[in-house]
Amino acid sequence: MDLLALVERIGEAPAAALLGLLTGVIFGVAAQRSRFCLRAATVEFARGRMGDKVAVWLLTFSTAVIWVQGAQMLGLFRAEDARIMAIPGSWSGAVIGGLLFGVGMVLARGCSGRLLVLAATGNLRSVISGLVFAVVAQMSLSGWLAPARDKLAALSITQGGHNMDLLATLGLPPISGLIFGIVVALIAFAVSIHNKIGLSRLVFASGVGFAVAVGWVSTFSLAQIAFDPVPIESATFTGPSANTLMFFLDNAAVLEFDIGLVPGVFLGSFLASWLAGEFKFQGFEDEANIRRAITGAAFMGFGGMLAGGCAIGNGVTGGSVFAGTAWLALLCMWIGAMITDFLVDQRGIRQPA
């Protein structure tokens, strides 16, 4: 059944949710099997190592760029129509929100996407942290924290009524995005070979990047045939987590891509962990870890909403279309995470027993 026939049969909103579910399942399976995690990569890098976690992150990022840029060259997707590109971005939000998110993901021991993946494997710590993240994200979107987020985001906005296209701003040809992705992929393979990473893990790492492309292409295709406007988007977990939470709390909530994405990731990760015999219930070790995780989740909820996306939404999804604020937010997430690891976790390692 093609997409038009699906829309005619079940409607636009359910079709969008189904596309989100498909994207989420691919993402969940691939992320669980590859152990993809930006927090782990930043910590590894901060400690002077180019290990397997950095390799997996680089491969995921590069394959997302390759798939998305390739799809654009084939006419399957237009980056300028993507929601992250079509509306103004916030430079101040990217900096402040990115730093806060970076701090939060180290404290919580995982970014928002990683927490969702781990929650589906029986990690109850991630369940609690994920719920706190979603609540604070919703508060930052339309609740008590929204005025503070609006003021910080308004400090510096991109010009022209839309986000900055880095490739166009630098005067580079369209194919340069694809070339960049290939170069980073080659670096990722070199690091992977050095760390003797297995082929299956590399395939699943590239699968996370593929899931991002599936989201972009599927929502773009739906937008071409839908009667009502359809946001062109892909994997991200700040807004979708808040929207999914409200979907189950508010009878007036409607189906959309976001509502399928989050359950899809949970389902994919659960199935992958269960089939691999890795599903196991885990809890908090002590009260200090509870405080740390909740604090980190709250930082990520506000920071991710202020930055316009999480480590996935900015770092992979937004990065794959070369959105200026997404790249700045990603840089600040790395900086915030590395500083936090140095001041908090490495400090504990350095102290004598």
Side-chain angles (χ1 to χ4, degrees):
M1 180 182 295
D2 60 25
L3 185 56
L4 179 59
L6 179 66
V7 170
E8 291 176 343
R9 182 169 183 176
I10 67 175
E12 295 174 4
L18 191 59
L19 294 176
L21 182 70
L22 172 64
T23 301
V25 168
I26 296 172
F27 185 101
V29 170
Q32 197 280 330
R33 299 311 303 152
S34 66
R35 300 191 292 279
F36 167 78
C37 179
L38 177 62
R39 193 278 309 179
T42 57
V43 168
E44 191 174 71
F45 187 78
R47 299 183 184 186
R49 300 196 301 272
M50 291 286 285
D52 64 308
K53 299 173 180 61
V54 172
V56 167
W57 188 87
L58 287 174
L59 186 58
T60 293
F61 176 76
S62 60
T63 52
V65 172
I66 291 170
W67 281 110
V68 173
Q69 293 297 312
Q72 185 165 229
M73 294 184 68
L74 293 173
L76 302 175
F77 167 68
R78 287 196 304 267
E80 61 267 26
D81 295 337
R83 181 164 64 178
I84 193 173
M85 298 296 290
I87 61 175
S90 169
W91 297 118
S92 55
V95 172
I96 302 170
L99 290 172
L100 289 174
F101 192 95
V103 172
M105 70 179 182
V106 170
L107 294 178
R109 293 191 169 89
C111 73
S112 50
R114 182 63 178 167
L115 292 180
L116 179 59
V117 170
L118 289 176
T121 67
N123 192 315
L124 300 180
R125 295 168 296 176
S126 295
V127 172
I128 300 301
S129 298
L131 287 173
V132 172
F133 167 80
V135 169
V136 175
Q138 181 60 41
M139 291 171 63
S140 305
L141 176 64
S142 58
W144 289 356
L145 296 175
R149 177 185 64 85
D150 291 339
K151 289 180 180 179
L152 291 173
L155 293 175
S156 180
I157 303 293
T158 56
Q159 301 298 312
H162 53 78
N163 209 326
M164 175 188 286
D165 183 334
L166 288 178
L167 298 181
T169 301
L170 295 173
L172 298 174
I175 197 173
S176 59
L178 180 60
I179 294 174
F180 173 82
I182 293 173
V183 171
V184 177
L186 292 174
I187 296 173
F189 279 121
V191 178
S192 300
I193 292 172
H194 176 73
N195 288 280
K196 299 179 181 179
I197 301 176
L199 179 61
S200 63
R201 190 177 179 191
L202 296 180
V203 171
F204 283 115
S206 63
V208 181
F210 177 69
V212 169
V214 169
W216 281 132
V217 172
S218 62
T219 54
F220 176 80
S221 300
L222 180 60
Q224 306 311 300
I225 61 175
F227 179 78
D228 295 320
V230 173
I232 299 173
E233 55 192 326
S234 188
T236 184
F237 297 104
T238 307
S241 295
N243 292 339
T244 303
L245 176 65
M246 293 308 297
F247 180 79
F248 291 106
L249 297 177
D250 186 356
N251 287 330
V254 297
L255 283 172
E256 55 185 340
F257 180 86
D258 290 358
I259 307 305
L261 177 67
V262 173
V265 172
F266 190 93
L267 176 62
S269 179
F270 168 75
L271 290 175
S273 64
W274 181 67
L275 292 173
E278 296 178 359
F279 183 89
K280 179 182 179 180
F281 285 112
Q282 302 174 58
F284 288 102
E285 290 86 356
D286 51 42
E287 294 181 1
N289 281 316
I290 296 177
R291 291 193 299 270
R292 172 176 170 148
I294 290 177
T295 301
F299 270 58
M300 284 196 295
F302 182 76
M305 195 60 71
L306 175 59
C310 62
I312 306 299
N314 278 315
V316 182
T317 300
S320 69
V321 294
F322 291 88
T325 58
W327 279 65
L328 180 59
L330 173 62
L331 173 62
C332 291
M333 288 176 189
W334 275 81
I335 293 173
M338 291 171 64
I339 292 174
T340 305
D341 176 66
F342 180 80
L343 295 177
V344 178
D345 291 337
Q346 290 190 48
R347 180 182 179 183
I349 295 174
R350 292 192 299 268
Q351 288 180 343

Coordinates of all heavy atoms in Angstrom, one line a residue, residues 6 24 28 61 71-73 75 100 103-104 124 129 131 173 204 250 256 258 272 274 289 316 328 330:
L6 N -2.7 4.9 1.9 CA -2.8 4.8 3.4 C -3.5 6.0 4.0 O -4.4 5.8 4.8 CB -1.4 4.7 4.0 CG -1.3 4.6 5.5 CD1 -1.8 3.3 6.0 CD2 0.2 4.8 5.9
G24 N 10.4 5.5 14.8 CA 10.8 5.2 16.2 C 11.3 3.8 16.4 O 12.2 3.5 17.1
G28 N 14.8 2.8 17.7 CA 14.9 2.1 19.0 C 15.7 0.9 18.8 O 16.6 0.6 19.7
F61 N 26.2 10.0 13.2 CA 26.1 11.3 12.6 C 26.4 11.4 11.1 O 25.7 12.0 10.4 CB 27.1 12.2 13.4 CG 27.1 13.6 12.9 CD1 26.1 14.5 13.2 CD2 28.2 14.1 12.1 CE1 26.2 15.9 12.7 CE2 28.2 15.4 11.6 CZ 27.2 16.3 11.9
A71 N 19.2 11.8 -0.1 CA 17.8 11.9 -0.4 C 17.4 13.2 -1.0 O 16.6 13.3 -1.9 CB 17.0 11.6 0.9
Q72 N 18.1 14.3 -0.5 CA 17.8 15.6 -1.1 C 18.3 15.7 -2.5 O 17.6 16.3 -3.4 CB 18.5 16.6 -0.2 CG 18.2 18.1 -0.7 CD 18.5 19.1 0.4 OE1 17.7 19.9 0.7 NE2 19.8 19.0 0.9
M73 N 19.4 15.1 -2.8 CA 19.9 15.1 -4.2 C 19.0 14.3 -5.2 O 18.9 14.6 -6.3 CB 21.3 14.6 -4.3 CG 22.3 15.5 -3.5 SD 24.1 14.9 -3.7 CE 24.3 15.2 -5.4
G75 N 15.8 14.2 -4.9 CA 14.5 14.9 -4.9 C 13.5 14.3 -4.0 O 12.3 14.5 -4.1
L100 N 23.2 23.8 29.0 CA 22.4 23.2 30.1 C 22.1 21.7 29.8 O 22.1 20.9 30.7 CB 21.0 24.0 30.3 CG 21.1 25.4 30.9 CD1 19.8 26.0 30.8 CD2 21.6 25.3 32.3
V103 N 25.2 19.6 30.4 CA 25.3 19.4 31.9 C 24.3 18.3 32.3 O 24.7 17.4 33.1 CB 25.1 20.7 32.7 CG1 25.0 20.4 34.2 CG2 26.1 21.8 32.4
G104 N 23.1 18.5 31.9 CA 22.1 17.5 32.3 C 22.3 16.1 31.9 O 22.1 15.2 32.7
L124 N 14.7 1.3 35.4 CA 13.7 2.1 36.1 C 14.2 3.5 36.4 O 13.5 4.4 36.5 CB 13.2 1.4 37.4 CG 12.6 0.0 37.2 CD1 12.2 -0.6 38.5 CD2 11.4 0.1 36.3
S129 N 13.7 9.4 35.3 CA 14.4 10.5 34.7 C 13.7 11.0 33.4 O 13.5 12.2 33.2 CB 15.9 10.1 34.3 OG 16.6 9.8 35.5
L131 N 10.5 10.7 32.7 CA 9.2 11.4 33.1 C 9.5 12.8 33.6 O 8.8 13.7 33.2 CB 8.5 10.6 34.2 CG 7.8 9.3 33.7 CD1 7.3 8.5 35.0 CD2 6.7 9.6 32.8
P173 N 28.6 24.3 -2.7 CA 27.6 23.6 -3.5 C 26.9 22.5 -2.7 O 27.3 22.0 -1.7 CB 28.5 22.9 -4.6 CG 29.9 22.8 -3.9 CD 30.0 24.0 -3.0
F204 N 24.2 -1.3 13.0 CA 23.1 -0.7 13.8 C 23.4 0.7 14.1 O 22.5 1.5 14.2 CB 23.0 -1.5 15.2 CG 22.2 -2.8 15.0 CD1 22.9 -4.0 15.3 CD2 20.9 -2.8 14.6 CE1 22.2 -5.2 15.1 CE2 20.2 -4.0 14.5 CZ 20.8 -5.2 14.7
D250 N -4.5 14.6 28.1 CA -5.5 15.5 27.6 C -6.3 14.9 26.5 O -5.8 14.4 25.4 CB -4.8 16.7 27.0 CG -5.7 17.9 26.6 OD1 -6.9 17.7 26.6 OD2 -5.2 18.9 26.2
E256 N -0.2 12.8 15.8 CA 0.8 13.4 14.9 C 2.0 12.6 14.9 O 2.1 11.5 15.6 CB 1.1 14.8 15.3 CG 1.5 15.0 16.8 CD 1.7 16.4 17.2 OE1 1.9 17.3 16.3 OE2 1.8 16.7 18.4
D258 N 4.9 13.0 16.2 CA 5.5 12.9 17.5 C 4.9 11.8 18.4 O 5.6 11.1 19.1 CB 5.4 14.2 18.3 CG 6.2 15.3 17.7 OD1 7.0 15.1 16.7 OD2 6.1 16.5 18.2
A272 N 14.3 -5.3 20.9 CA 15.7 -5.6 20.6 C 16.4 -6.2 21.9 O 17.1 -7.1 21.8 CB 16.4 -4.3 20.2
W274 N 14.8 -7.6 24.5 CA 14.2 -8.8 24.9 C 14.7 -10.0 24.0 O 15.0 -11.1 24.6 CB 12.7 -8.7 24.8 CG 11.9 -9.9 25.2 CD1 11.8 -10.5 26.4 CD2 11.2 -10.8 24.3 NE1 11.1 -11.6 26.4 CE2 10.7 -11.8 25.1 CE3 10.9 -10.8 23.0 CZ2 9.9 -12.8 24.6 CZ3 10.1 -11.8 22.4 CH2 9.6 -12.8 23.3
N289 N 22.2 9.3 43.8 CA 22.0 9.0 42.4 C 20.6 9.5 41.9 O 20.4 9.9 40.8 CB 22.2 7.5 42.1 CG 23.7 7.2 42.0 OD1 24.4 7.9 41.3 ND2 24.0 6.0 42.6
V316 N 21.9 15.2 15.5 CA 21.9 14.3 14.4 C 20.8 14.8 13.4 O 21.1 15.0 12.2 CB 21.5 12.9 14.8 CG1 21.5 11.9 13.6 CG2 22.5 12.4 15.9
L328 N 25.4 24.8 16.4 CA 25.9 25.5 17.6 C 25.4 24.9 18.9 O 26.2 24.8 19.8 CB 25.4 27.0 17.5 CG 25.8 27.9 18.7 CD1 27.3 28.0 18.8 CD2 25.2 29.3 18.5
L330 N 24.7 21.7 19.3 CA 25.5 20.5 19.4 C 26.9 20.8 20.0 O 27.3 20.1 20.9 CB 25.7 19.8 18.1 CG 26.6 18.6 18.0 CD1 26.1 17.5 19.0 CD2 26.7 18.0 16.6

